[in-house]
Amino acid sequence: MFKAFLIKYGEIGIKGKNRHLFEDALVRQIKYALKPVDGEFQISKEQGRIYIEALTDYDYDETVESLQHVFGIVGICPVVLTEEEGFDKLAADVVSYVDKRYPDKHKTFKVNTRRARKSYPIPSMEVNAALGERILKAFPEMTVDVHNPDILLNIEIRAKIIIYSEVIPGPGGMPVGTNGKGMLLLSGGIDSPVAGYMIAKRGVKIDAVYFHAPPYTSERAKQKVVDLARIVAKYTGPIYLKVVNFTDIQMYIYEKCPHDELTIIMRRYMMRIAEHFARETESLGLITGESIGQVASQTMQSLASTDEVCTMPVYRPLIGFDKQEIVELSKKIGTFETSILPYEDCCTIFVAKHPVTKPSLKVIRRSETHLKEQIEEMVKTAIETTETIIVKWQEEA
């Protein structure tokens, strides 16, 4: 029945003179999302509206599901497009729409007309009343309810006439790429993939870095992170994943530093390495999945200690979330089941029994002096031997 979709956006509509830049970015993201979908589509912009028209047969469910992963879309409306050929033709098209769309006619309805083309000779309120009369005449079992109808029948009179009654929710947010790029510290846990999703929802393009510690972490742990990146990539587009061999650095810190400070010092070196790649890829900041007080390394004092080694901003989209909220989000975006697979990453392997919760920067810096020049060589080697994996959503692979 539906050969076209009207795409509704939210915040983009208040961008003033820059709105066309955000609309263009949204169109690019829609084209990218529809690439793997069976069918051929034409995407166009017109007076604050974006339309997708199917030029061939297509998979309706797959199309809608793909569009629900495009940040910037707040509503997906399956529409019927008709030419303006007078009111009788419009009324016939509307009656036909109701007949096909709603086999059960025991429903209440309201007609809501928007006359964007002011040259149309009949005012909106009169169109509403006249169309309501035609519907009641065609389907006597239907009734009008202007306050809480079962069916809100929208008619938009533009260059063409648009008829629709369903608005399928989109993910909202801003089109990816409209707010720069960030480097995500991605682990195999629940939090960091959700952080990547949240920052991308605000229009940030993300790449990622993962710290691998073979043989203490297995290839399955690495594959788990790649799988998580792939799920997130359905929302963000391709992710360039840097896989850093962190084993020698971890072992050296373990050997030279107090064990209650291990996590903090390891995190500081992770931040240093992540920042190196962030600068290399022209990212504007680091992104982590930390929230205040969740574990010892995420107290205010611990976060201040890890941030101290960074010269670029560190963004923490989940900073005020509790664990259950993060879990619910991970289930919503589809990463939860992968995150809870029992393949540990390097952070969990080397956690101290009694980690410091209120580290002193002065003490941490003094402990790092035990690492001397050798740690710099290890960091250099880790950077030089880093593997880059281009991770795309599986339907593109």
Side-chain angles (χ1 to χ4, degrees), residues 85-97:
E85 299 176 23
F87 179 77
D88 286 339
K89 172 67 163 55
L90 170 60
D93 288 339
V94 169
V95 168
S96 174
Y97 175 92

Side-chain angles (χ1 to χ4, degrees), residues 161-198:
I161 293 178
I162 305 159
I163 305 167
Y164 68 97
S165 60
E166 182 180 14
V167 182
I168 302 164
M174 303 290 288
V176 171
T178 55
N179 275 313
K181 185 194 289 186
M183 181 62 71
L184 172 67
L185 279 78
L186 182 62
S187 73
I190 294 171
D191 304 336
S192 57
V194 177
Y197 167 90
M198 290 292 289

Side-chain angles (χ1 to χ4, degrees), residues 258-276:
H259 284 196
D260 63 340
E261 299 170 13
L262 286 177
T263 304
I264 298 297
I265 295 173
M266 287 176 188
R267 290 287 294 174
R268 281 164 66 90
Y269 276 96
M270 288 178 179
M271 299 296 260
R272 289 178 172 110
I273 293 170
E275 185 169 278
H276 168 86

Side-chain angles (χ1 to χ4, degrees), residues 166-322:
E166 182 180 14
V167 182
I168 302 164
M174 303 290 288
V176 171
T178 55
N179 275 313
K181 185 194 289 186
M183 181 62 71
L184 172 67
L185 279 78
L186 182 62
S187 73
I190 294 171
D191 304 336
S192 57
V194 177
Y197 167 90
M198 290 292 289
I199 203 85
K201 187 175 180 180
R202 300 308 307 155
V204 178
K205 174 78 177 74
I206 62 169
D207 289 327
V209 56
Y210 164 61
F211 294 91
H212 192 39
Y216 302 99
T217 54
S218 67
E219 282 301 306
R220 287 182 297 182
K222 174 182 164 183
Q223 186 58 47
K224 173 182 173 182
V225 172
V226 172
D227 291 343
L228 287 169
R230 182 167 287 118
I231 296 168
V232 176
K234 186 161 190 186
Y235 296 91
T236 66
I239 295 173
Y240 285 73
L241 175 65
K242 303 284 187 181
V243 180
V244 180
N245 190 325
F246 203 60
T247 309
D248 291 345
I249 296 171
Q250 280 195 297
M251 292 305 297
Y252 191 57
I253 294 170
Y254 188 84
E255 180 186 334
K256 296 292 184 180
C257 298
H259 284 196
D260 63 340
E261 299 170 13
L262 286 177
T263 304
I264 298 297
I265 295 173
M266 287 176 188
R267 290 287 294 174
R268 281 164 66 90
Y269 276 96
M270 288 178 179
M271 299 296 260
R272 289 178 172 110
I273 293 170
E275 185 169 278
H276 168 86
F277 289 119
R279 294 199 180 285
E280 195 175 77
T281 58
E282 300 183 339
S283 292
L284 300 174
L286 303 179
I287 306 150
T288 76
E290 294 156 319
S291 64
I292 292 174
Q294 189 177 126
V295 292
S297 63
Q298 295 177 23
T299 63
M300 288 286 280
Q301 294 88 341
S302 296
L303 296 177
S305 295
T306 54
D307 282 6
E308 194 249 352
V309 302
C310 300
T311 58
M312 62 169 51
V314 181
Y315 299 101
R316 296 182 169 93
L318 309 182
I319 196 69
F321 285 49
D322 63 36

Side-chain angles (χ1 to χ4, degrees), residues 30-47:
I30 290 170
K31 287 179 178 176
Y32 176 80
L34 293 179
K35 263 186 183 180
V37 177
D38 288 335
E40 189 177 334
F41 301 91
Q42 177 178 295
I43 302 166
S44 58
K45 296 191 304 175
E46 179 194 309
Q47 296 180 314

